[in-house]
Amino acid sequence: MKDYVEEFRRKLAAIDEDSKKILIINVGSMNHGKSSLFNSLLDKTVFAENDIRETVVSKEEPWLQDVYLVDTPGLNAEESDDIEAYNAYKRANMIVFVHTVKAGELKRNELNAINIIKGVLGEKYFWSHFCLALTFLDAESESGVNAIKQKILSDIESNCGGKDFPVFLISNSRYKKGSAENKRVLIEKSGILKLRTFISHNVGNWRQENHALRQQRIQRSKQELMIEIAAERDRLQKEITRKTSALESRQRDFLYKVQSAVDSYRYDRQQLRNAQSRLDSARSELNDLRNQHSRDRARY
């Protein structure tokens, strides 16, 4: 049987370990610039930026003191990727939803992902720990970017119920070019500094939240464990009931066979007695005939 106590201890250890970390987690479809964005924040290339399915497991990298950036698989790249990503979202102190303006408005799977993550983290917590990063600004004009941004904000509010969250306009290419050529204007226009400053200013609050979040996660783990134990108990009870029913059926069948054998034995015994009685009666009649015959001979 599964060792639920040991499993709960492992979960507590994982929760305790996570509570020591501030986790900034990116979300978005493949090739929308998630990894490039986090590499820009780190000022080094850590996360793969290829145009193919590269990130298949969530990868975290230390950034500031106890602050980690977590790069997740792209949405809907593979079913296993989605599972891996959603497991990471449960631990998030901040969700950075990344979308490229080259793709225009949000797709249905992206809106669905927002709703799913919101359900995982809880609506109130989610919207206070969510921001939108629109990437590849150079692919659109300023007016085009603003139109796409407004459409996305409208869709998120109508489909997901969120509004008034931070939005960052990002150009990783501008940041890299500005950093390589030491051009401050390009760096500032990249939007990376604004996102970096936003995260840095909120780290203190997130550290304070982590204690309360730890308690919530422990309580949630307890509830999940109790549900799992209850399900296992029901399964075992059904199995016990099934086996008890089968045993009772076999017992009834056995008792029926025993009773049938006893009844058959009693019937055969009674038949034997009846046959013995008839035999005794026949013998008595035979003796009487013999005696009568002897008397008749003696008389004549």
Side-chain angles (χ1 to χ4, degrees):
M1 181 181 292
K2 189 174 181 179
D3 190 338
Y4 291 100
V5 173
E6 182 59 31
E7 180 185 355
F8 187 62
R9 285 174 178 167
R10 286 196 297 268
K11 285 186 177 181
L12 285 182
I15 290 171
D16 285 338
E17 184 64 25
D18 286 344
S19 68
K20 300 173 185 176
K21 298 178 180 179
I22 304 298
L23 300 177
I24 313 301
I25 298 179
N26 62 24
V27 182
S29 296
M30 190 170 62
N31 297 330
H32 277 227
K34 298 188 290 87
S35 300
S36 297
L37 171 60
F38 273 16
N39 284 335
S40 294
L41 289 175
L42 290 165
D43 266 329
K44 58 183 178 180
T45 301
V46 174
F47 305 116
E49 299 180 11
N50 295 335
D51 290 333
I52 60 174
R53 177 175 174 258
E54 189 78 48
T55 304
V56 294
V57 295
S58 298
K59 181 179 179 182
E60 64 182 45
E61 180 70 18
W63 180 30
L64 307 174
Q65 180 185 2
D66 67 19
V67 178
Y68 292 77
L69 301 184
V70 183
D71 188 34
T72 64
L75 296 173
N76 287 0
E78 297 282 350
E79 182 178 357
S80 59
D81 295 350
D82 284 353
I83 295 172
E84 173 70 22
Y86 287 125
N87 285 334
Y89 304 151
K90 296 177 182 179
R91 306 155 56 211
N93 292 95
M94 188 67 194
I95 293 287
V96 181
F97 196 96
V98 183
H99 177 80
T100 173
V101 296
K102 293 191 298 182
E105 63 189 70
L106 292 181
K107 302 300 184 287
R108 174 51 55 185
N109 72 300
E110 293 174 297
L111 293 169
N112 289 343
I114 291 174
N115 282 324
I116 291 172
I117 302 168
K118 179 181 68 174
V120 169
L121 294 176
E123 185 166 5
K124 183 178 180 180
Y125 180 90
F126 176 79
W127 290 120
S128 61
H129 296 77
F130 173 89
C131 70
L132 175 66
L134 298 178
T135 60
F136 292 96
L137 295 187
D138 304 320
E140 285 284 346
S141 64
E142 184 176 350
S143 60
V145 169
N146 286 330
I148 292 170
K149 172 186 171 183
Q150 292 307 315
K151 173 60 174 169
I152 288 174
L153 293 179
S154 174
D155 286 345
I156 290 178
E157 182 175 4
S158 60
N159 290 276
C160 307
K163 60 180 181 178
D164 300 330
F165 47 80
V167 180
F168 299 93
L169 304 179
I170 303 294
S171 172
N172 288 300
S173 60
R174 288 179 192 173
Y175 183 78
K176 290 178 179 179
K177 182 177 177 62
S179 298
E181 299 177 4
N182 197 26
K183 294 182 177 180
R184 188 69 184 178
V185 174
L186 283 178
I187 292 175
E188 290 178 350
K189 286 185 176 181
S190 71
I192 294 295
L193 295 185
K194 290 182 180 180
L195 177 57
R196 185 181 288 162
T197 300
F198 169 78
I199 293 174
S200 299
H201 284 174
N202 281 281
V203 165
N205 295 331
W206 295 332
R207 287 195 183 104
Q208 293 177 8
E209 287 179 347
N210 262 10
H211 177 71
L213 188 61
R214 174 182 177 275
Q215 298 303 317
Q216 292 174 11
R217 287 174 175 167
I218 289 175
Q219 186 60 34
R220 186 164 61 226
S221 293
K222 286 181 179 178
Q223 293 172 350
E224 291 172 351
L225 185 61
M226 293 304 296
I227 291 173
E228 189 176 355
I229 289 175
E232 179 66 10
R233 181 194 61 202
D234 291 343
R235 187 192 69 78
L236 290 174
Q237 185 59 54
K238 289 179 181 178
E239 183 67 13
I240 290 172
T241 300
R242 184 187 67 78
K243 289 185 176 181
T244 299
S245 177
L247 178 61
E248 290 175 348
S249 178
R250 289 197 297 271
Q251 286 177 334
R252 287 192 298 269
D253 185 58
F254 174 75
L255 291 175
Y256 173 78
K257 290 179 179 178
V258 169
Q259 187 62 49
S260 295
V262 170
D263 291 344
S264 178
Y265 168 75
R266 287 175 176 171
Y267 175 80
D268 291 343
R269 188 178 177 186
Q270 185 61 47
Q271 290 295 103
L272 182 61
R273 287 176 177 172
N274 292 339
Q276 185 65 47
S277 177
R278 289 194 297 270
L279 179 60
D280 292 341
S281 178
R283 285 175 176 171
S284 177
E285 291 178 3
L286 180 60
N287 287 332
D288 288 344
L289 288 174
R290 284 175 177 171
N291 292 334
Q292 183 64 41
H293 178 68
S294 297
R295 287 195 297 271
D296 290 344
R297 288 184 64 184
R299 185 181 307 167
Y300 297 104

